[in-house]
Amino acid sequence: MKSENFKRYVLVKGANLKSVESKLKDYGELPAKGNTYTYQFSKAQLGDWTIIKMPSDFKDYYGFHNIVYWLLGFPPEDNNYADLSIGLSISDSLSYAIYNNYKLKDMLRLEDDLFGAFNNDERFILSIPFDEFKKSDNKYIKTFYSLLKDNEINYEMIKSENLEFEEFGILFNEK
């Protein structure tokens, strides 16, 4: 999981998502002020989805998992949030998708967790605070390809980066 060979994307959509840049800016301001670094993110549209390509110099896989969770927002206090956020990590040998579904989260009585599956269809629950993958046989967690298919996500198009990406910089306070 911790390999730097992954290309990482965050896919978001929702009527209440006004600005991915604003959400990422808020996330970047979470650590106390000190040293700062500007990351060059990219975004593209694919149907109803905004595809955010993580910068190649963003090596913090834990931060990536947190960003997927962060983009869901915290309604009703938050008025800029995604209805669905999916993290997609792609490498030559292994890929995985992480996502959150509030209904499933409530049913399983989980808190700060994401669900996911590897492209070999092994399912897991990812604890955000501990950044820990726990294998799961829960039938309600979608398999990798069914998650993508059910949400009309063209995996091959994303993997090949055959999209028109637009770059934007986000200033992060470094931990």
Side-chain angles (χ1 to χ4, degrees), residues 10-12 17 19-31 41 52 62-75 78-87 98-100 102 105 112-114 128 170 172:
V10 182
L11 291 65
V12 291
L17 184 61
S19 168
V20 296
E21 292 92 334
S22 176
K23 290 298 286 184
L24 289 169
K25 179 179 178 287
D26 291 346
Y27 181 82
E29 292 174 351
L30 287 176
F41 289 83
I52 304 164
Y62 175 72
F64 166 70
H65 298 153
N66 271 304
I67 287 171
V68 173
Y69 192 76
W70 180 261
L71 284 163
L72 284 169
F74 303 93
D78 187 353
N79 65 0
N80 181 25
Y81 62 92
D83 295 321
L84 185 55
S85 177
I86 297 173
I98 52 176
Y99 68 103
N100 193 307
Y102 285 115
K105 181 177 147 178
D112 296 331
D113 300 284
L114 293 168
I128 292 298
I170 300 290
F172 271 57

Side-chain angles (χ1 to χ4, degrees), residues 7 9 11 45-46 51 88-95 119 144-145 147-149 151-165:
K7 290 184 181 176
Y9 305 87
L11 291 65
Q45 283 300 126
L46 184 59
I51 312 296
L88 195 55
S89 293
I90 301 172
S91 79
D92 292 336
S93 60
L94 180 71
S95 296
N119 60 339
F144 183 84
Y145 291 106
L147 173 68
L148 300 178
K149 183 178 183 235
N151 287 289
E152 299 176 356
I153 296 169
N154 186 330
Y155 173 70
E156 291 303 322
M157 185 172 265
I158 295 168
K159 185 176 178 179
S160 68
E161 295 189 355
N162 194 14
L163 300 165
E164 290 186 32
F165 283 99

